[in-house]
């Protein structure tokens, strides 16, 4: 299974690539759609500012490639800001997103320290291809913004000053607000599950 990791200059690309390799995939990093097309799974990581991320995706010719990939029903995983970019718009900018999923990205609410940084529990809210026996496990988060979407897209929630969506599943589109590549054995187990689903 080949995992193509999208290089738009804003992700922790090396650690994501190593995590997929450790989980049993053949992983590679590229900013070239012609090479990324050979993937079985497209991975959109991300760390940083939403508006800058969208600007980089667009300027590199990757925004249309990612949206077309998802429209064709091919497997796509967004990680942290990569998950947020899947939505229609963000208050961080403000900026338009890829619009693959309906909804928007807003700043964390509640009387809590921002960014949300560290380990927190992830609870699936419906039957999930990603989690299975990993329901209720702890994963590593670093973020200040969260996604607001219809319940049908939400796959899991986490409590931090109130509940927020920590994972989404919609067809072959998946997203996690946490960092599986920083989440030790459970993070690798989640990637293995996704690899098995994608086949």
């Amino acid at each position: 299974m080949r995992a193509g990791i999208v290089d738009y200059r804003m992700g922790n690309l090396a650690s994501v690539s190593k995590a997929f390799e450790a989980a049993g995939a053949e992983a590679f990093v590229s900013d070239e759609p012609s090479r990324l097309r050979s993937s079985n799974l497209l991975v959109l990581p991300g760390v940083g500012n939403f508006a800058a991320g969208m600007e980089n995706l667009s300027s590199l010719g990757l925004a249309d490639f990612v949206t077309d990939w998802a429209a064709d029903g091919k497997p796509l995983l967004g990680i942290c800001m990569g998950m947020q970019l899947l939505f229609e718009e963000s208050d961080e900018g403000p900026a338009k997103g890829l619009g693959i999923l309906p909804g928007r990205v807003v700043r964390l609410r509640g009387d809590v320290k921002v960014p949300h940084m560290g380990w927190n529990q992830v609870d699936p809210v419906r039957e999930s291809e990603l989690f299975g026996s990993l329901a209720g496990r702890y994963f590593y988060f670093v973020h200040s913004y969260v996604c607001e979407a219809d319940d049908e897209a939400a796959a899991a929630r986490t409590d931090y000053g109130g509940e927020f969506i920590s994972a989404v599943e919609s067809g072959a589109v998946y997203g996690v607000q946490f960092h599986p590549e920083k989440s030790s054995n459970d993070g690798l187990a989640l990637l293995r599950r996704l690899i098995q689903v994608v086949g």
Side-chain angles (χ1 to χ4, degrees):
M1 202 284 289
R2 286 171 57 82
I5 300 163
V6 180
D7 178 8
Y8 63 106
R9 316 296 191 257
M10 294 193 72
N12 46 341
L13 304 172
S15 59
V16 172
S17 179
K18 287 178 182 178
F20 270 97
E21 293 279 1
E26 177 188 347
F28 67 96
V29 176
S30 180
D31 62 1
E32 299 176 8
S34 59
R35 187 171 178 219
L36 290 166
R37 283 191 186 93
S38 69
S39 309
N40 305 105
L41 169 69
L42 195 67
V43 182
L44 187 65
V47 175
N49 178 272
F50 185 104
M54 280 304 304
E55 182 177 344
N56 286 7
L57 277 173
S58 297
S59 65
L60 291 164
L62 292 165
D64 288 343
F65 171 73
V66 174
T67 54
D68 289 346
W69 178 278
D72 288 341
K74 298 178 181 178
L76 169 65
L77 171 68
I79 297 175
C80 197
M81 191 178 74
M83 168 174 149
Q84 296 176 4
L85 292 172
L86 302 178
F87 287 83
E88 295 169 303
E89 57 187 346
S90 174
D91 290 347
E92 186 182 19
K96 297 293 185 183
L98 294 170
I100 294 169
L101 297 175
R104 64 182 295 111
V105 179
V106 300
R107 190 169 173 83
L108 273 165
R109 299 189 172 102
D111 186 19
V112 292
K113 183 178 179 180
V114 177
H116 173 211
M117 184 180 299
W119 297 84
N120 207 336
Q121 191 171 25
V122 176
D123 293 308
V125 294
R126 57 182 170 87
E127 187 174 344
S128 165
E129 292 184 324
L130 282 179
F131 293 98
S133 63
L134 296 171
R137 301 292 179 90
Y138 283 71
F139 296 88
Y140 191 82
F141 290 82
V142 183
H143 64 114
S144 300
Y145 287 79
V146 295
C147 303
E148 291 188 341
D150 294 338
D151 286 343
E152 64 185 50
R157 293 184 179 272
T158 294
D159 188 10
Y160 186 70
E163 283 194 340
F164 65 87
I165 296 172
S166 50
V168 293
E169 294 181 26
S170 179
V173 176
Y174 305 88
V176 290
Q177 184 60 69
F178 52 85
H179 288 272
E181 77 280 6
K182 296 181 179 180
S183 297
S184 190
N185 291 336
D186 286 338
L188 291 181
L190 182 137
L191 295 182
R192 288 190 198 101
R193 283 186 62 88
L194 181 58
I195 290 167
Q196 290 171 355
V197 169
V198 171

